[in-house]
Amino acid sequence: MSSLGIYQMRDCPTSAQMGAIETSAVKDGVTTGAEMMRCAGRALARAAFEASGAEPGDRALVLCGPGNNGGDGYVAAIALREAGLDVQVCALGDPRKLGGDAALFAEEWGEAIAPLDPEALGQGPRPVLVIDAVFGTGLSRPVPDVLPKAFAAIRSAPGEAPLTIVAADIPSGIQSYTGALLAPEAAAEVLAADLTIAFHAAKPGHFLGQGPAVCGALEIAPIGLAQDDRTPPLTEPHKGDIVRLIAPDAAEAADWLAGWARPEPGGHKFSRGHALVLGGGPGKGGAARMAARAALRTGAGLVTLGVPADAITENAARLDAIMLSVIETADDLGGMLKDHRLSALVLGPGLGIGERTRAMVRVSLEAKRATILDADALTSFADHPEELFDLLHEDAILTPHEGEFSRLFPDLGLKSRDMSKIDAARRAADRAGCVILLKGAATIIASPGGAASLHPGLYERDTRWLATAGAGDTLCGILAGLAAHAPEGQLHGAAECATWIHAEAARSFGPGLIAEDIPDRIPDLYRAHGL
């Protein structure tokens, strides 16, 4: 099997960008359309055969659509027949109207092609394997009602054998950029695949919206195309228009981490940066302490926690290597920022909501340091987001979850969103004039001008244990630990690396994770990658 893990890919192209990549490859003589289709269909058949555990003589059903995705299905049907399976092909639409390479392979199939008839499909016997090659990544309109009915009929057909459904490129009904289900909500369960084989690269819809729930497992199959050179590796700044996938293999991760986290030979604590985390009053300090500890573990040379005077004793009892400073007011903060060695600021975790926090944010942003705003620092501006946007600069980053994002950008928020999460983050970055890190199972990092990256905490890199109180606070701290010594204007890259470190540290712990565990996993992560 020649499929690849999703964490060996660099980019996450849209359907249109994928089409341009293919067209360019054909124009340059690298491959042909027929050869790409043959590679895709054969990879699909191999993966489906292995995933289903099928044996010669078992029944397989291949559902083909009216476009190139259907062509992949015809190639897969031919390959499964060659492997000894009893293969039936059903088509949506008239296969005689196929054009291009898909028509070529439908003709090569050479056997009967039945219509996609739910009543007939429900008669059984139920197949061991179904390949969904009906609609691919170009789908932009709702699927016809016959499709979910056909899948429901197949699932309910009589038979004892377990059924495995494998999707070609993306399950039919999932929009490949937004992950939206272009079918009634109830159809998600019947259209869901057990395995999706994406061709050349994962698409955004594999990670967004309902895509992960419908795709099952995800594998990438090469089809003879080179990596798109418009998307630089993670070791270089990202300025391209293709979404960069934060998915390094072990070798790239080692080089990447070394660039961000390895101290310079002969350096000292101030050369590694000094991060200041602002915290709240008595009993409200846990979030800021976790952020501060994560910043120190990640690589900041010094970390100071600034809190009101009545919270000093509480924090002193919990901290050693992290310094403490009394910061009651924005004036106190302004005085501390006269020390230009303070290179990164974190405001939000446990800070409190209101005018005091707004004043702290104003002073912090006026100082033009790397500034990370989260939680209470964002919610404090929910009623007047334009005031915050007027203050922000390119070395600031907002790190909202969906609820905080919706309060600052109500027209782009989850409930009113009619676009991809990627485009929502891009528009927010342009509006705010700074980097946006929009958290979630698929985290989006966007910068003004359109550069966007996607970290997929899904499939073989499942990060579900990060759904725990305080996890976002530790992400802020990790980001501060990198931003404290990052070159000016490189917060996008720091955010990419911080998001990956955060996820990998959590994954290395696994079940039972609480936020306090995350900083302590970072040293082992660094050692594992040669730091």
Side-chain angles (χ1 to χ4, degrees):
M1 178 65 193
S2 58
S3 62
L4 302 173
I6 59 171
Y7 272 58
Q8 291 175 270
M9 307 308 297
R10 180 185 297 171
D11 50 19
C12 199
T14 65
S15 176
Q17 289 165 340
M18 188 68 207
I21 293 167
E22 293 172 348
T23 299
S24 177
V26 172
K27 182 180 178 181
D28 293 343
V30 173
T31 186
T32 66
E35 185 56 31
M36 285 188 285
M37 191 170 286
R38 194 183 302 276
C39 286
R42 287 191 172 277
L44 178 63
R46 286 193 298 271
F49 192 89
E50 292 177 10
S52 65
E55 297 180 354
D58 284 343
R59 183 166 181 254
L61 178 62
V62 181
L63 309 181
C64 294
N68 284 342
N69 204 240
D72 302 329
Y74 289 112
V75 174
I78 294 166
L80 290 173
R81 181 176 62 189
E82 292 172 352
L85 298 190
D86 176 14
V87 184
Q88 178 186 3
V89 174
C90 294
L92 179 66
D94 187 348
R96 294 171 297 181
K97 295 182 179 180
L98 284 170
D101 299 316
L104 173 71
F105 290 114
E107 184 177 350
E108 188 175 323
W109 163 248
E111 296 187 26
I113 300 173
L116 194 69
D117 178 3
E119 184 175 350
L121 291 170
Q123 299 303 310
R126 189 172 61 212
V128 168
L129 168 64
V130 173
I131 287 183
D132 169 14
V134 183
F135 294 112
T137 59
L139 183 68
S140 59
R141 63 184 186 277
V143 299
D145 291 342
V146 68
L147 187 63
K149 289 178 180 177
F151 273 85
I154 294 166
R155 290 180 183 276
S156 62
E160 297 295 325
L163 173 64
T164 299
I165 297 179
V166 180
D169 220 0
I170 199 163
S172 294
I174 294 295
Q175 209 283 330
S176 66
Y177 186 47
T178 65
L181 178 67
L182 299 179
E185 193 71 27
E189 187 172 349
V190 295
L191 292 173
D194 299 292
L195 171 66
T196 295
I197 303 298
F199 302 134
H200 176 66
K203 316 308 184 293
H206 291 122
F207 306 113
L208 302 176
Q210 291 177 277
V214 179
C215 285
L218 177 65
E219 293 180 0
I220 315 297
I223 56 173
L225 299 172
Q227 188 78 252
D228 192 327
D229 58 10
R230 289 179 297 171
T231 306
L234 287 166
T235 51
E236 300 174 13
H238 180 33
K239 298 184 183 300
D241 61 342
I242 295 184
V243 175
R244 181 156 73 176
L245 200 61
I246 307 171
D249 60 19
E252 185 181 9
D255 290 342
W256 185 42
L257 281 176
W260 278 107
R262 179 180 288 158
E264 293 290 331
H268 51 83
K269 59 188 178 184
F270 282 104
S271 67
R272 299 179 69 188
H274 185 178
L276 171 64
V277 179
L278 297 185
K284 305 291 185 181
R289 283 195 296 273
M290 285 189 288
R293 199 157 187 272
L296 199 60
R297 280 290 194 201
T298 302
L302 303 90
V303 177
T304 295
L305 180 61
V307 295
D310 56 0
I312 286 287
T313 301
E314 171 192 319
N315 284 289
R318 300 291 304 275
L319 301 171
D320 292 309
I322 293 164
M323 299 180 291
L324 287 167
S325 182
V326 174
I327 298 181
E328 297 271 6
T329 67
D331 287 341
D332 294 339
L333 175 59
M336 191 164 183
L337 289 173
K338 291 177 181 178
D339 182 351
H340 291 281
R341 295 176 299 181
L342 277 168
S343 52
L345 311 176
V346 177
L347 293 88
L351 190 56
I353 298 170
E355 177 53 34
R356 176 178 176 271
T357 294
R358 288 192 293 272
M360 296 278 194
V361 170
R362 292 186 199 105
V363 170
S364 297
L365 291 171
E366 287 168 0
K368 303 294 184 183
R369 315 291 165 82
T371 305
I372 299 147
L373 302 181
D374 186 47
D376 294 349
L378 303 179
T379 303
S380 290
F381 287 90
D383 293 334
H384 302 285
E386 296 81 7
E387 180 186 351
L388 175 61
F389 302 158
D390 288 343
L391 296 167
L392 291 164
H393 51 75
E394 67 170 6
D395 277 319
I397 181 167
L398 312 185
T399 62
H401 56 56
E402 285 282 8
E404 293 158 347
F405 184 84
S406 295
R407 287 191 282 274
L408 288 178
F409 306 96
D411 58 318
L412 304 176
L414 190 60
K415 290 184 179 179
S416 58
R417 189 173 298 159
D418 59 357
M419 66 189 78
S420 169
K421 182 177 178 179
I422 296 164
D423 285 343
R426 279 172 162 158
R427 292 190 188 185
D430 283 337
R431 187 180 302 176
C434 71
V435 180
I436 301 290
L437 190 158
L438 179 50
K439 293 179 284 196
T443 292
I444 305 298
I445 298 159
S447 292
S453 305
L454 186 155
H455 179 273
L458 298 154
Y459 305 110
E460 73 257 38
R461 290 295 186 269
D462 191 327
T463 55
R464 70 184 66 196
W465 292 102
L466 273 173
T468 184
D473 305 318
T474 62
L475 175 58
C476 283
I478 293 169
L479 179 51
L482 299 179
H485 55 261
E488 189 172 331
Q490 293 299 314
L491 267 188
H492 188 113
E496 289 176 322
C497 193
T499 303
W500 184 84
I501 290 171
H502 187 241
E504 290 301 295
R507 288 185 60 252
S508 72
F509 191 96
L513 175 80
I514 58 175
E516 291 97 316
D517 299 320
I518 295 172
D520 291 341
R521 305 301 290 190
I522 293 172
D524 287 341
L525 177 64
Y526 284 180
R527 277 190 289 273
H529 289 85
L531 267 66

